[in-house]
């Protein structure tokens, strides 16, 4: 059937309902690498990249909603950066300008790589995905959406329509370690999100386990220690304990990008650095 | 296998692609079917930027664009810079700065830098480095490439000033 360029979400879902084996294409930055290697056949393709509603974002009450087709370049919008700074920081570290122009948030989630850079941020914020098929709309929490290394909860005929997350008051940090500054897959990544009104520090980590996850024990510890009135600096002992708790929660592996031991060490360093920056961050 | 007939708009001209296979990248189609071999193929995985083209005005790696999905989009390749008789200002700056050695990275860099200067004629050093961070050059060490951007940027700024004062 070749390539169908959908103009609307409804049209896309109808095409998928008719032919569930069709491959969904967004920015192509994961899919085309596979196609060029010959490991992904693209006999029948549904292109979502020209559906205007998938590229939009909106503030809805205390939540922000992103169309799944929003690109990394568009996520760097200063307005978005003011609302979900860690997501913009993560988007800015992805690939190169070429990759950021094409690659999308929805593609990053569907690929579900342990190293997907937006995932620790969405995990820290408990983002929810809106999935749609021709017959059903459903919501899935990010923690349930990513089911393993490069596997997700999408069912045949379903696409990710949008991603919703709360807008938290307070500073945020996204940090990643790689071999250089540009064009680098994370060896370790970490998002730290402050929630002033819930008096909670939220920590998401990536590349240190099959699925990015929240370091809940570390969160509980630091949320009690954090000075919610002033953000003032914490003692070295507290910072080190937090860093240790984050590192202890991880289950990294050895691979060509780094050893498990290095990853455990590095994630602790990121935890410490992110916390220090959050403490130094201005109160809004 | 699906054979397809579709039309791509490259540098303002319409090209019919006949008998294309559905998984072909835009880079492949440009080079092998449309005889536009200015865009280079080095990695086919988005890492090197030597295949950089503009898709509706934005730089992308043409090796990661599914050719048949680019129907109706405006594609600009290195062949679209300058004209038959005259090279573009950025191309000239590359020559003047000696920014070309083997030349394999050059077309992609030219497309990226031309786009940068179109949106920001006077970028600072960090902006330039960021803008070309997706283009690898294994020969020059980048010094002369940055110098070429400076030359092109100075020339464009001077030209803009001149036009304003007219
Ligand atoms: C050179 C290079 C550098 C990179 N650097 C990084 C990096 O630093 N950090 C990082 O996290 N990633 C990186 N990536 C990976 C990639 O860019 C991202 O994962 C990107 O977000 C993928 O999005 P896409 O729109 O290009 O997806 P596509 O390649 O179009 O699709 C990827 C997968 O998602 C599915 N899909 C896409 N959209 C939807 C949807 N709306 N609903 C259902 N399924 C969908 C597709 O069917 C496919 O299975 C890099 C890739 C390259 C080539
Ligand atoms: S050939 Fe496309 S980025 Fe290298
Ligand atoms: S001049 Fe040889 S790669 Fe740049």
């Amino acid at each position: 059937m070749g390539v169908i360029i959908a103009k609307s979400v409804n049209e896309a879902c109808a095409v998928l309902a008719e032919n569930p084996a069709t491959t969904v294409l967004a920015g192509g930055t994961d899919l085309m690498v596979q196609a060029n290697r010959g490991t992904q056949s693209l006999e029948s393709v549904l292109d979502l990249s020209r559906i205007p509603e998938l590229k939009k974002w909106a503030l809805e009450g205390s939540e922000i909603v992103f169309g799944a087709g929003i690109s990394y370049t568009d996520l760097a919008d200063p307005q978005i950066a003011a609302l979900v700074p860690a997501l913009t920081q993560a988007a800015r570290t992805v690939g190169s300008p070429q990759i950021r122009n094409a690659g999308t948030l929805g593609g990053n989630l569907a690929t579900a790589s342990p190293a997907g850079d937006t995932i620790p941020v969405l995990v820290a914020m408990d983002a929810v995905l809106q999935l749609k098929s021709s017959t059903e709309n459903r919501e899935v929490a990010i923690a349930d959406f990513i089911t393993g290394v490069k596997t997700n909860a999408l069912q045949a005929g379903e696409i990710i329509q949008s991603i919703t997350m709360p807008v938290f008051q307070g500073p945020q940090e996204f940090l990643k370690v790689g071999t250089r500054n540009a064009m680098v897959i994370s060896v370790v990544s970490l998002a730290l999100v402050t929630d002033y009104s819930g008096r909670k520090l939220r920590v998401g980590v990536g590349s240190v386990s099959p699925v990015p996850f929240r370091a809940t024990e570390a969160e509980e510890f630091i949320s009690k220690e954090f000075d919610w009135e002033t953000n003032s600096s914490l003692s070295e002992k507290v910072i080190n304990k937090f860093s240790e708790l984050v590192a202890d929660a991880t289950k990294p592996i050895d691979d060509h990008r780094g050893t498990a031991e290095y990853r455990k060490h590095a994630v602790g360093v990121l935890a410490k650095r992110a916390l220090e920056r959050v403490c130094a961050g201005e109160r809004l | 296998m699906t054979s397809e007939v579709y039309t791509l708009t490259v540098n303002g001209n319409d090209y019919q692609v006949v008998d294309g296979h559905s998984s072909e990248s835009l880079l492949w189609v440009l080079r092998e079917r449309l005889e536009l071999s200015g865009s280079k193929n080095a990695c086919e995985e988005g890492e090197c930027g030597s295949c950089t083209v503009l898709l509706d005005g934005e730089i992308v790696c043409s090796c990661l664009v599914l050719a048949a999905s680019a129907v109706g989009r405006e594609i600009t390749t290195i062949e679209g810079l300058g004209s038959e008789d005259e090279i573009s200002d950025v191309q000239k700056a590359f020559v003047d700065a000696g920014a070309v050695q083997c030349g394999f990275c050059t077309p992609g860099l030219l497309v990226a830098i031309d786009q940068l200067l179109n949106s920001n004629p006077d970028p600072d050093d960090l902006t330039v480095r960021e803008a070309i961070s997706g283009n690898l050059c294994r020969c020059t060490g980048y010094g002369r490439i940055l110098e070429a951007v400076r030359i092109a940027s100075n020339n464009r700024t001077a030209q803009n000033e001149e036009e304003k004062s007219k």
Side-chain angles (χ1 to χ4, degrees):
Chain A
M1 100 180 192
V3 180
I4 292 183
I5 300 168
K7 291 281 169 353
S8 72
V9 169
N10 284 341
E11 183 195 345
C13 290
V15 169
L16 273 184
E18 207 158 292
N19 187 354
T22 299
T23 306
V24 169
L25 171 74
T29 61
D30 278 321
L31 213 53
M32 285 303 291
V33 173
Q34 302 306 321
N36 290 342
R37 285 185 189 148
T39 52
Q40 167 83 51
S41 123
L42 297 176
E43 307 268 296
S44 136
V45 173
L46 172 67
D47 179 4
L48 303 182
S49 72
R50 277 185 259 183
I51 302 181
E53 56 196 287
L54 288 186
K55 293 180 191 296
K56 291 188 179 145
W57 68 274
L59 194 59
E60 291 180 2
S62 61
E63 292 185 323
I64 187 162
V65 186
F66 295 101
I70 193 163
S71 70
Y72 294 110
T73 300
D74 289 344
L75 283 173
D77 181 330
Q79 271 182 295
I80 297 175
L83 295 164
V84 279
L87 185 59
T88 296
Q89 286 173 13
R92 291 183 53 116
T93 71
V94 171
S96 63
Q98 286 90 330
I99 301 298
R100 292 194 292 274
N101 283 338
T104 65
L105 180 57
N108 203 226
L109 301 179
T111 293
S113 157
D117 280 320
T118 65
I119 302 172
V121 181
L122 301 205
V123 165
M125 296 188 184
D126 281 332
V128 172
L129 282 70
Q130 284 76 42
L131 310 182
K132 189 174 170 64
S133 70
S134 65
T135 53
E136 199 192 354
N137 296 329
R138 62 181 183 124
E139 295 210 320
V140 177
I142 181 78
D144 299 324
F145 180 77
I146 297 177
T147 49
V149 177
K150 301 202 172 174
T151 58
N152 64 47
L154 280 171
Q155 285 167 3
E158 251 178 1
I159 64 163
I160 309 171
Q161 180 168 29
S162 56
I163 299 99
T164 305
M165 64 203 82
V167 174
F168 293 109
Q169 297 299 313
Q172 301 180 357
E173 280 293 332
F174 171 84
L175 297 170
K176 93 185 205 191
V177 174
T179 42
R180 60 192 181 111
N181 281 337
M183 196 80 91
V184 67
I185 306 284
S186 290
V187 179
V188 173
S189 60
L190 178 138
L192 183 62
V193 172
T194 334
D195 170 12
Y196 283 158
S197 58
R199 297 211 158 190
K200 181 102 190 163
L201 276 154
R202 299 163 155 260
V203 189
V205 287
S207 289
V208 286
S209 53
V211 175
F213 68 98
R214 269 175 80 178
T216 45
E217 223 178 300
E219 287 185 354
E220 268 158 41
F221 167 75
I222 201 62
S223 299
K224 280 196 202 104
E225 297 287 338
F226 196 73
D227 184 335
W228 291 105
E229 301 305 322
T230 64
N231 291 22
S232 64
S233 303
L234 298 157
S235 74
E236 209 176 309
K237 202 172 142 222
V238 168
I239 294 175
N240 285 341
K241 175 82 184 164
F242 172 67
S243 151
E244 252 168 56
L245 284 171
V246 172
D248 284 350
T250 64
K251 290 188 193 65
I253 55 159
D254 291 332
D255 69 8
H256 62 288
R257 295 204 184 90
T259 62
E261 196 189 349
Y262 174 76
R263 288 191 156 101
K264 246 193 204 302
H265 172 73
V267 77
V269 173
L270 293 191
K272 206 166 155 173
R273 196 172 292 165
L275 184 58
E276 283 165 354
R277 289 192 186 169
V278 159
C279 288
E282 278 176 41
R283 283 200 69 94
L284 301 173
Chain B
M1 288 272 279
T2 13
S3 60
E4 304 237 353
V5 183
Y6 55 88
T7 305
L8 293 180
T9 311
V10 188
N11 305 322
N13 304 313
D14 283 352
Y15 291 83
Q16 282 244 314
V17 182
V18 185
D19 282 342
H21 184 270
S22 63
S23 341
E24 285 171 355
S25 73
L26 177 58
L27 176 62
W28 172 270
V29 169
L30 288 171
R31 290 180 56 83
E32 308 297 333
R33 298 197 183 275
L34 307 184
E35 292 181 0
L36 294 166
S37 55
S39 309
K40 298 299 175 219
N41 178 357
C43 71
E44 285 203 301
E45 50 184 50
E47 296 274 348
C48 74
S50 60
C51 65
T52 301
V53 302
L54 300 185
L55 199 60
D56 288 339
E58 286 191 332
I59 56 170
V60 296
C61 297
S62 59
C63 69
L64 300 184
V65 175
L66 184 67
S69 79
V71 172
R73 291 206 194 259
E74 231 175 87
I75 300 157
T76 309
T77 67
I78 182 64
E79 288 88 352
L81 256 64
S83 64
E84 286 274 302
D85 339 294
E86 205 178 273
I87 58 175
S88 79
D89 60 343
V90 185
Q91 286 170 315
K92 183 158 187 318
F94 263 62
V95 175
D96 291 345
V100 182
Q101 287 188 29
C102 80
F104 209 81
C105 66
T106 312
L109 273 162
L110 289 168
V111 171
I113 292 165
D114 187 67
Q115 200 275 341
L116 167 71
L117 295 179
N118 286 341
S119 61
N120 179 358
D122 190 18
D124 60 27
D125 212 43
L126 203 65
T127 309
V128 176
R129 282 170 186 269
E130 177 68 43
I132 62 170
S133 60
N135 295 80
L136 297 183
C137 173
R138 296 296 82 174
C139 301
T140 65
Y142 302 100
R144 294 188 176 200
I145 292 169
L146 295 172
E147 177 59 22
V149 182
R150 228 163 285 131
I151 294 174
S153 157
N154 289 344
N155 288 345
R156 281 202 192 185
T157 318
Q159 213 173 17
N160 287 349
E161 300 280 300
E162 218 172 280
E163 268 161 34
K164 256 189 241 157
S165 63
K166 266 182 202 164

